[in-house]
Amino acid sequence: MLTGMQIAVIGGDARQLEVVRKLTELDAKLLLVGFEQLDHAFTGAVKEKMEDINFKEIDSVILPVRGTDSDGKVETIFSSEEVVLTEEMIKKTPEHCTFYAGISNDYLDGIFKKVDRKLVLLFERDDVAIYNSIPTVEGTIMMAIQHTDFTIHGSNVAVIGLGRVGMSVARSFHALGAKVKVGARKSEDIARISEMALAPFHLNDLAAEMKNVDICINTIPFPIITAQVIAKMPVHTLIIDLASKPGGTDFRYAEKRGIKALLAPSLPGIVAPKTAGQILANALGLLIQGEFTKRKGKKI
């Protein structure tokens, strides 16, 4: 249980509602920032404005999956007010205060290098990333069906990257009857792709491998689907980019060529916010309880 803990939940989308529900069940006291337009009320949770938060009393801070933007602004689906997380606010928190987000960026990295506070990135955890790949795959399949005029079965699908999402995507499209090939760099990944009964290729050969692709699914957050790669694709190819913003695709050139390219980060929050929220909530519950227990042990 988290009795006695004060946790600030700052911004977020529908996934955060499951986090709030879980933490109130664990008896934490929650301060919700950026939720004034939310009709639902949670016992033990109070809506506050950022300027009214007493950060000196906060034990944990939960940010949205994306953390902040490059200027420190926090996404607030349930609010029309601008919410910004600053270095000064973080410095006001107790030394034991832990911050949680899905991913980081240059802004957050810069701040947390200066302040002596812990930032935990949930999507760097294998359990969260693997569970989260399930709604990601379902959303990718949905997009492939919506934006093509052919079946997935029998189509030529290229998956770029064999990370936790790439592996789940490749396996699922293969199970639907697609002819799947997967691009990777590491020799062990090439071996794993072969073991999965898929067709491996090295990313150095990416452009050459695009000549007959119907659907290209990118999972690498780096400019990899370049103009040179897109130039080799058939005009009917659908690109689905699952990498975090800004993705790994040259969207300008894809549009110029008449190739449909879709940037689709945060698919779990779009297609299955309840399930995606429960995944985050369960992980956060365990992490925060672990921190709380450790802190109580030090006091004893």
Side-chain angles (χ1 to χ4, degrees):
M1 300 296 287
L2 300 176
T3 307
M5 277 203 79
Q6 290 207 58
I7 301 173
V9 180
I10 302 177
D13 53 27
R15 286 173 285 188
Q16 297 297 75
L17 302 185
E18 296 300 320
V19 171
V20 171
R21 185 174 288 110
K22 178 73 172 181
L23 295 179
T24 53
E25 288 174 359
L26 292 172
D27 201 31
K29 180 183 177 182
L30 300 189
L31 304 176
L32 309 182
V33 179
F35 289 87
E36 72 270 6
Q37 294 176 359
L38 179 67
D39 293 331
H40 188 82
F42 294 93
T43 304
V46 180
K47 297 175 186 176
E48 294 279 10
K49 292 185 179 297
M50 198 70 153
E51 58 269 24
D52 295 330
I53 296 288
N54 184 359
F55 283 96
K56 293 178 181 179
E57 297 180 351
I58 298 300
D59 299 303
S60 295
V61 176
I62 299 173
L63 299 171
V65 166
R66 295 180 187 174
T68 68
D69 68 8
S70 58
D71 298 316
K73 293 177 185 176
V74 179
E75 180 185 44
T76 53
I77 298 299
F78 301 105
S79 173
S80 57
E81 295 184 5
E82 184 174 279
V83 176
V84 180
L85 181 71
T86 66
E87 182 180 337
E88 290 70 29
M89 293 172 181
I90 298 172
K91 284 180 177 178
K92 290 178 182 177
T93 61
E95 290 185 4
H96 68 260
C97 184
T98 303
F99 289 72
Y100 299 89
I103 58 176
S104 188
N105 56 23
D106 290 341
Y107 179 84
L108 287 176
D109 289 343
I111 286 181
F112 279 92
K113 281 180 182 176
K114 299 176 186 176
V115 298
D116 186 21
R117 299 295 182 274
K118 185 177 179 181
L119 174 63
V120 176
L121 302 179
L122 297 173
F123 283 178
E124 289 188 356
R125 290 175 56 93
D126 282 336
D127 55 350
V128 173
I130 291 169
Y131 283 131
N132 215 48
S133 71
I134 298 168
T136 298
V137 167
E138 292 189 11
T140 306
I141 292 169
M142 177 190 73
M143 294 181 73
I145 293 171
Q146 287 178 337
H147 294 280
T148 58
D149 57 2
F150 49 84
T151 61
I152 292 174
H153 187 282
S155 62
N156 294 309
V157 175
V159 177
I160 313 303
L162 194 73
R164 293 160 296 198
V165 171
M167 185 177 292
S168 295
V169 168
R171 184 185 293 116
S172 298
F173 274 78
H174 176 66
L176 288 172
K179 302 168 188 172
V180 180
K181 55 184 174 182
V182 184
R185 291 195 190 280
K186 298 177 182 177
S187 59
E188 57 265 37
D189 287 342
I190 297 293
R192 177 61 66 190
I193 295 163
S194 296
E195 183 273 332
M196 293 169 66
L198 307 176
F201 67 90
H202 197 281
L203 289 178
N204 289 343
D205 303 321
L206 182 57
E209 293 289 340
M210 293 296 106
K211 293 179 181 178
N212 66 339
V213 168
D214 300 310
I215 302 172
C216 178
I217 302 168
N218 177 52
T219 67
I220 299 176
F222 180 82
I224 191 162
I225 312 295
T226 61
Q228 291 76 15
V229 173
I230 295 170
K232 299 293 184 181
M233 294 178 176
V235 178
H236 72 267
T237 301
L238 171 67
I239 301 172
I240 302 176
D241 198 324
L242 302 178
S244 54
K245 286 185 177 180
T249 300
D250 188 336
F251 292 96
R252 182 202 62 82
Y253 186 74
E255 183 178 5
K256 183 176 181 180
R257 268 215 69 203
I259 288 177
K260 185 175 287 187
L262 307 171
L263 179 60
S266 300
L267 266 183
I270 297 170
V271 301
K274 187 175 183 67
T275 298
Q278 288 171 345
I279 292 167
L280 296 174
N282 290 335
L284 280 165
L286 290 171
L287 287 168
I288 295 174
Q289 284 187 90
E291 291 284 343
F292 190 42
T293 302
K294 190 187 303 181
R295 190 153 53 86
K296 284 198 299 184
K298 285 182 179 179
K299 287 181 180 179
I300 293 170

